[in-house]
Amino acid sequence: MFGACIVPIFPRLFLLHGPSGSGKSSLIKCAMRLVHQDARCSVDPTRMSGFRLNSMAGKLVNAMTDIELTKPIEDSIVKMIEDRIPITIERKNRDDVLSTIPPIHMFGANGIPATKDLTSGAMLRRWSFLHLAAMNKSEEPDHDFANWAFDQNPDAVVLWAFGGAIRLLKNKGRYTEFA
């Protein structure tokens, strides 16, 4: 996932799921430090339609630390991400624009959202699901932990991400499959 942030050429959706306080947001926030703010956006996968797509035009990474679980995700939008085909994006009071949407998406949630297509297995083929277990904490949560951790040794985070990018390139864009 970190490697994909610095080499966003192989489309993938990542869902980090688990109980509150398991580090989902911290991992996503830390990964987002690898992406320039002009190249990222933040759109919930259940809301990827209409005018909301405007903020995604030309971006490389989309990330949300807490997505809605009560609405299903449209499989057609997930397929468009994978295909990297430009789509028409509606804009208020302006001409529509033809653009791709980000190839890399990282989401955090307490569970796994539903999808409207329950038969094709499309979601399982296009997503990487990472379950994070609860952590035992002896103190109050540090909501800026991701930035603190990154700032302790940014070179190490970048080198780790490069390791993932190199592995992804060697595998010709095939992501690690999880059991």
Side-chain angles (χ1 to χ4, degrees):
M1 183 175 84
F2 278 63
C5 285
I6 58 173
V7 184
I9 57 176
F10 303 110
R12 194 66 173 182
L13 295 97
F14 297 92
L15 178 68
L16 285 62
H17 63 99
S20 178
S22 59
K24 304 176 297 288
S25 294
S26 293
L27 285 169
I28 292 170
K29 288 177 183 178
C30 193
M32 290 307 293
R33 294 277 304 263
L34 299 168
V35 181
H36 191 276
Q37 67 183 27
D38 292 342
R40 61 186 187 212
C41 59
S42 185
V43 179
D44 191 296
T46 64
R47 299 172 194 255
M48 288 185 191
S49 64
F51 296 120
R52 288 186 188 100
L53 292 176
N54 185 43
S55 68
M56 300 178 86
K59 305 296 185 185
L60 298 174
V61 178
N62 179 38
M64 294 260 329
T65 57
D66 192 21
I67 65 170
E68 189 168 345
L69 293 176
T70 59
K71 295 180 183 173
I73 295 171
E74 293 280 347
D75 290 298
S76 60
I77 196 76
V78 173
K79 180 80 166 100
M80 285 188 263
I81 292 166
E82 183 181 58
D83 289 346
R84 303 295 299 141
I85 303 294
I87 61 171
T88 300
I89 297 176
E90 299 172 351
R91 302 185 307 168
K92 288 184 180 179
N93 303 319
R94 294 171 44 192
D95 290 338
D96 295 348
V97 65
L98 190 64
S99 177
T100 57
I101 54 178
I104 305 302
H105 297 260
M106 298 179 292
F107 304 116
N110 292 347
I112 297 176
T115 178
K116 286 190 175 181
D117 179 10
L118 302 175
T119 59
S120 72
M123 192 166 179
L124 295 177
R125 288 193 310 271
R126 295 179 177 105
W127 289 72
S128 291
F129 296 95
L130 297 100
H131 182 259
L132 281 74
M135 296 187 293
N136 292 328
K137 297 179 189 165
S138 59
E139 57 190 58
E140 286 296 313
D142 178 0
H143 295 288
D144 198 39
F145 178 74
N147 289 318
W148 176 86
F150 189 97
D151 291 339
Q152 294 309 297
N153 195 342
D155 294 345
V157 177
V158 171
L159 285 174
W160 185 59
F162 271 119
I166 290 167
R167 189 170 61 248
L168 189 55
L169 291 168
K170 284 181 181 178
N171 290 336
K172 298 178 179 134
R174 287 188 309 273
Y175 287 88
T176 302
E177 295 291 327
F178 299 96

